[in-house]
């Protein structure tokens, strides 16, 4: 490799002024989102205010408003980011070449493990269940949110559909089954993650395992020719 | 039947002074509980206050305090009452002579129907999930609450155990399975009952049906000699 070539490469690799600005902008956005996470977790969505977020992020209010016009924008951006990391980590957690029911099992195990790794995401995401929060969102923002929530559900439904086509999964309704699984998994994982004070004493990790076992057995196609006892 | 006998009967049937007082006390208690339900649903547990409850019930504060010393006592009494009607209505909803899996299915259908009939119970009961509420309860009150929550769970676990003994249910863990079922059923029934604003569009009644179908298939013992595909 000649010196000239190296120099040419260095020039080619050095970021343009435009790229530098874009990098700075992304970095500021990242800092604002990290600050928002702290503030939202501390005071909750309703009480959180943008001046506080700007202060914690160490940026001016003008800068913050250039990135996010309203608290709702900031919240939706935060959830989109979480949705992104959920999908990335999920993609690594399961083996696309394993049998379909094994993939669903891997997904189920990943789900609890993910929330245990990121309990703060869980709290932020479920704030959205609050009528007052979602009620204040524009249609466009609701659509973005729906996208974040629906992507993993659609993937699970697609897995179930594949299993049905392959004959390893009973002919259930894929979309309703995916929703049943996700809501159930949430109901058990939630108290684990938020350390809710238990009234009924139950080992929620064990309940989660049992839930997964029941769903997998419930999805599995019974052996050909057999009639399921009911 | 002689006149003397009738007179004797009338005396025997007429309530004693003690019984009259007990009846009045029960009626006052009933009125206070009905008022508490209104006030708690209106302002939530944390904001609700006993003077307001006394006013709505039309009793003096002294009378209220003779029945319930604290807001916590009142809340737990209210939930115990709900727990009682839950168990009574449940007992009528399923046929103890039907096959075990059918009984579990009947219980599952009853569960959603009950919350639809009594949405206000659902809201009151789930207030208890709030850390601040339960955190303020004495050990004794927590034990009463646990009893209310655990009774239906124990019944479901007993049904599952019976099914296992009869060979119609797979050898799952009865307690963990009962908890998995109850938490899942809640997770789907909750948004139906509270009319939560949906983010993901799903027909929750259909999701509930699918959930029940998956659980029943997951509980069912596969035909003898067959190996379940996984």
């Amino acid at each position: 490799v000649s010196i000239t070539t190296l120099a040419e490469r260095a020039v080619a690799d050095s970021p343009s002024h435009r790229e530098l600005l874009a990098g700075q902008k992304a970095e500021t956005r990242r800092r604002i989102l990290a600050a928002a996470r702290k503030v939202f977790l501390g005071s909750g969505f309703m009480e959180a205010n943008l001046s506080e977020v700007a202060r914690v992020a160490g940026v001016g209010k003008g800068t913050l408003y250039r990135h996010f016009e309203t608290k709702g924008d900031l919240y939706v951006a935060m959830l989109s980011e979480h949705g992104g990391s959920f999908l990335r980590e999920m993609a690594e957690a399961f083996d696309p070449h394993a049998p379909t029911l094994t993939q669903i099992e891997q997904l189920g195990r990943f789900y609890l493990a993910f929330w245990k790794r990121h309990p703060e995401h869980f709290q932020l995401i479920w704030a959205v269940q609050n009528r007052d929060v979602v009620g204040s969102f524009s249609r466009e923002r609701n659509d973005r949110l729906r996208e974040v929530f629906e992507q993993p559900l659609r993937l699970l439904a697609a897995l179930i559909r594949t299993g049905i086509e392959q004959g390893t999964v009973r002919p259930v309704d894929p979309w309703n089954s995916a929703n049943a699984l996700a809501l159930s998994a949430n109901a058990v994982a939630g108290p684990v993650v938020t350390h809710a004070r238990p009234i009924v004493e139950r080992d929620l990790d064990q309940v989660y395992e049992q839930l997964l076992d029941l769903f997998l057995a419930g999805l599995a196609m019974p052996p050909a020719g057999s009639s399921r006892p009911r």
Side-chain angles (χ1 to χ4, degrees), chain A:
Chain A
V1 182
S2 72
I3 298 276
T4 324
T5 321
L6 281 177
E8 275 164 4
R9 276 200 201 148
V11 171
D13 288 350
S14 80
S16 68
H17 180 65
R18 186 185 294 264
E19 281 166 341
L20 268 175
L21 274 182
Q24 272 168 13
K25 205 175 159 194
E27 165 61 18
T28 303
R29 185 185 154 91
R30 205 193 51 71
R31 257 180 31 224
I32 294 172
L33 284 172
R37 187 150 53 226
K38 269 189 213 149
V39 173
F40 280 40
L41 279 173
S43 23
F45 180 82
M46 300 306 283
E47 270 69 42
N49 76 72
L50 291 187
S51 312
E52 172 80 355
V53 172
R55 198 186 55 73
V56 172
V59 303
K61 276 189 80 171
T63 304
L64 190 144
Y65 283 118
R66 268 196 301 282
H67 282 83
F68 304 99
E69 269 180 41
T70 67
K71 205 155 68 163
D73 287 329
L74 194 47
Y75 184 71
V76 173
M78 221 161 48
L79 286 201
S80 294
E81 216 193 31
H82 288 180
S85 43
F86 182 90
L87 289 174
R88 272 192 306 279
E89 294 187 34
M90 191 180 78
E92 283 173 28
F94 76 112
D95 172 9
H97 303 296
T100 304
L101 281 170
T102 307
Q103 288 187 48
I104 295 173
E105 184 174 354
Q106 287 168 343
L107 219 53
R109 289 193 202 290
F110 159 75
Y111 196 75
L112 181 58
F114 179 84
W115 293 126
K116 284 189 172 180
R117 272 200 302 278
H118 307 290
E120 77 286 1
H121 288 208
F122 196 90
Q123 285 166 271
L124 284 170
I125 280 182
W126 295 104
V128 105
Q129 296 289 68
N130 187 321
R131 230 173 211 281
D132 302 326
V133 175
V134 182
S136 68
F137 284 176
S138 66
R139 191 189 172 78
E140 192 203 335
R141 276 200 297 250
N142 266 332
D143 288 347
R144 282 252 341 252
L145 263 188
R146 172 170 304 125
E147 191 56 28
V148 171
F149 279 80
E150 278 191 6
Q151 256 178 312
L153 282 169
R154 278 203 298 267
L155 191 131
L156 181 53
L159 264 178
I160 293 170
R161 201 171 292 114
T162 302
I164 295 170
E165 284 161 11
Q166 291 170 341
T168 54
V169 169
R170 286 193 306 131
V172 295
D173 181 280
W175 178 245
N176 288 334
S177 298
N179 276 284
L181 261 96
L183 286 169
S184 304
N186 260 337
V188 184
V192 175
V193 169
T194 58
H195 302 286
R197 217 185 162 93
I199 297 180
V200 173
E201 292 200 28
R202 43 192 162 202
D203 181 324
L204 285 167
D205 279 288
Q206 280 182 27
V207 172
Y208 194 88
E209 271 298 309
Q210 185 63 75
L211 179 79
L212 210 52
D213 165 73
L214 283 166
F215 267 123
L216 290 166
L219 283 169
M221 178 65 97
S226 73
S227 64
R228 181 174 292 279
R230 278 284 283 280

